[in-house]
Amino acid sequence: MGRMALLNASPKEPIIQVRDLVAKYDEETILEGISFDVYEGEIFVILGGSGCGKSTLLKHLVGLYQPHSGQIIIDGEDISERNPETLMKVLRKIGVLYQSGALLGSMTLAENVALPIGEYTDLSTESLSLLVKIKLNIVGLEGYENHLPSELSGGMKKRAGLARAMALNPKILFFDEPSAGLDPVTSAGIDHLIIQLNQSLGTTMVIVTHELQSILTVAHRVIMLDKDTKGIIAEGDPKRLRDHSPDPFVRRFFNREPEAATAKT
């Protein structure tokens, strides 16, 4: 399904539901009253200025942190209480590409990608090897099975991390700053790969980023977090928010404009 087809399709049931989420570090409130839905097949971007809680929200969505209060429901499973059985079910349905790629430096790419497959399946050595090759081929790294992470460029490490995140055919992929540290050409290649995978596999994607060009290129829908209000101050199509948001702060953010004399509403 193409990007425009998805946008014009009738609403689906949300695959991620966040309701009244409150996130705290000790006594400091980072996020308060956060509620939103992510729909199956969407490329959904979480954005905002520095310190607004983007990474904190992502860590709650993938089960690393427990909410102070509120609910997070992933594909029908409520992970808010961190029940071990529920978390295990959800972990089988998601993949995460961390900002650093999080590859194990002492292992080859094939061994890195094989790790989650070997842990959660009983595939034979031959079948496992074939599946690893398929995953690396999907991200454009065919022939690099025996390379170590130290032998790769930054963009190739991101692609290898994505191959590992996709190892178990997840329904949802989470990305933490996928373009961080990459030059513009390599970053554009990652954007293209994200769109290609979304269109060919129908995988739901949730991306945390502050890279405006990437946001405008890949996102079907965004939410914008705000450090001061600790909540969501904008939601919708990023191009529409850039051009038509009633909030001058949101328009300045999307147009990369410096602080104006007008106070933020």
Side-chain angles (χ1 to χ4, degrees), residues 227-264:
K227 183 178 181 180
D228 294 333
T229 65
K230 307 182 191 305
I232 298 171
I233 59 169
E235 180 174 353
D237 182 299
K239 294 184 177 69
R240 184 167 183 81
L241 292 175
R242 177 192 63 191
D243 299 334
H244 302 293
S245 173
D247 187 330
F249 175 77
V250 174
R251 292 198 306 274
R252 286 201 303 272
F253 183 94
F254 277 101
N255 287 283
R256 296 187 75 247
E257 295 175 351
E259 285 290 339
T262 305
K264 187 181 74 171

Side-chain angles (χ1 to χ4, degrees), residues 44-56 58-59 96-102 154-155 157-159 162 173-183 186-187 190-191 194 206-215 218 225 253:
F44 183 88
V45 172
I46 300 167
L47 59 95
S50 299
C52 70
K54 300 186 299 292
S55 294
T56 297
L58 179 68
K59 289 172 182 176
V96 184
L97 175 59
Y98 295 99
Q99 185 174 148
S100 65
K157 289 178 183 177
K158 296 275 189 175
R159 288 172 179 265
L162 180 54
L173 279 170
F174 293 91
F175 298 79
D176 183 14
E177 300 283 3
S179 300
L182 302 180
D183 63 79
T186 304
S187 178
I190 296 295
D191 290 344
I194 287 171
V206 177
I207 304 172
V208 167
T209 184
H210 66 277
E211 298 286 347
L212 277 177
Q213 188 56 55
S214 292
I215 293 165
V218 307
L225 304 179
F253 183 94

Side-chain angles (χ1 to χ4, degrees), residues 122-263:
D122 295 319
L123 292 177
S124 66
T125 301
E126 182 178 347
S127 296
L128 179 58
S129 177
L130 177 60
L131 185 55
V132 167
K133 288 183 178 181
I134 291 172
K135 298 300 181 182
L136 288 172
N137 182 63
I138 288 173
V139 300
L141 289 177
E142 62 275 13
Y144 285 88
E145 291 86 355
N146 295 319
H147 284 63
L148 293 171
S150 60
E151 299 172 318
L152 304 180
S153 67
M156 293 170 76
K157 289 178 183 177
K158 296 275 189 175
R159 288 172 179 265
L162 180 54
R164 188 177 64 182
M166 295 170 55
L168 296 173
N169 299 321
K171 298 181 73 170
I172 308 168
L173 279 170
F174 293 91
F175 298 79
D176 183 14
E177 300 283 3
S179 300
L182 302 180
D183 63 79
V185 173
T186 304
S187 178
I190 296 295
D191 290 344
H192 177 73
L193 179 59
I194 287 171
I195 293 170
Q196 184 181 48
L197 293 173
N198 173 257
Q199 292 180 343
S200 61
L201 302 177
T203 307
T204 304
M205 297 178 173
V206 177
I207 304 172
V208 167
T209 184
H210 66 277
E211 298 286 347
L212 277 177
Q213 188 56 55
S214 292
I215 293 165
L216 295 170
T217 299
V218 307
H220 297 147
R221 195 161 53 93
V222 306
I223 56 170
M224 184 173 181
L225 304 179
D226 179 65
K227 183 178 181 180
D228 294 333
T229 65
K230 307 182 191 305
I232 298 171
I233 59 169
E235 180 174 353
D237 182 299
K239 294 184 177 69
R240 184 167 183 81
L241 292 175
R242 177 192 63 191
D243 299 334
H244 302 293
S245 173
D247 187 330
F249 175 77
V250 174
R251 292 198 306 274
R252 286 201 303 272
F253 183 94
F254 277 101
N255 287 283
R256 296 187 75 247
E257 295 175 351
E259 285 290 339
T262 305

